[in-house]
Amino acid sequence: KLRMSDDRGSSVTPLKAQPQAELEKMRANHVEGLPPPPEMKVTYQQMKDAQIPVHARDYCAHLLIPLNECRYKTWFNRFKCTDERHAYEKCEYDEYNRRKAIYKYKKENGIPLYFPKRGAPDNN
């Protein structure tokens, strides 16, 4: 079990088992017509060790780690690391299209597009 004290030097709350369990439940109850959720290929600790910013810790982080390493090695020369950059940007584009398809499915089927605030009246 993770505790806040286990993650020294970070103000970000460590990942807990609950989000992973929810993701596994989503995969098991896959809805036809929706793209399946992708699998995380790197762990939280690997992203932390590679100093990936929190906003970039998504399903494409496994491609961002080698891209950043290449950038550091080549002093951020924009003419280098083109293959790594292309792979990362393609992954981000595919993820964007996946989220767009989910939005479209929810909108067409009357599923709420956002989580309402606690205590807010239900205006359906």
Side-chain angles (χ1 to χ4, degrees):
K1 183 174 178 177
L2 290 174
R3 295 184 310 257
M4 192 63 150
S5 61
D6 292 341
D7 193 16
R8 297 171 193 241
S10 175
S11 62
V12 178
T13 304
L15 294 176
K16 297 188 173 55
Q18 184 63 24
Q20 185 64 30
E22 289 175 6
L23 184 61
E24 294 301 326
K25 184 179 174 185
M26 280 175 33
R27 286 193 182 116
N29 299 330
H30 177 66
V31 177
E32 196 63 38
L34 280 178
E39 187 174 335
M40 285 297 291
K41 296 181 181 176
V42 292
T43 63
Y44 170 76
Q45 189 61 43
Q46 289 171 322
M47 290 186 281
K48 184 179 172 204
D49 292 343
Q51 298 178 347
I52 301 295
V54 175
H55 71 273
R57 294 179 184 185
D58 58 5
Y59 295 113
C60 300
H62 66 285
L63 297 170
L64 184 58
I65 293 171
L67 173 60
N68 283 344
E69 288 173 359
C70 180
R71 286 174 171 167
Y72 294 142
K73 289 177 186 174
T74 60
W75 293 30
F76 290 86
N77 185 342
R78 64 182 176 181
F79 301 111
K80 304 285 183 178
C81 311
T82 55
D83 293 337
E84 292 90 345
R85 188 186 58 185
H86 179 73
Y88 175 69
E89 289 175 354
K90 170 90 168 75
C91 180
E92 286 290 334
Y93 178 72
D94 292 342
E95 177 61 17
Y96 168 73
N97 284 333
R98 186 183 76 82
R99 289 192 315 268
K100 228 169 48 170
I102 292 170
Y103 176 82
K104 181 179 177 185
Y105 177 83
K106 285 183 173 184
K107 192 170 184 181
E108 289 173 352
N109 294 305
I111 300 171
L113 301 174
Y114 62 92
F115 294 108
K117 293 181 181 177
R118 290 184 188 200
D122 189 14
N123 295 331
N124 286 338

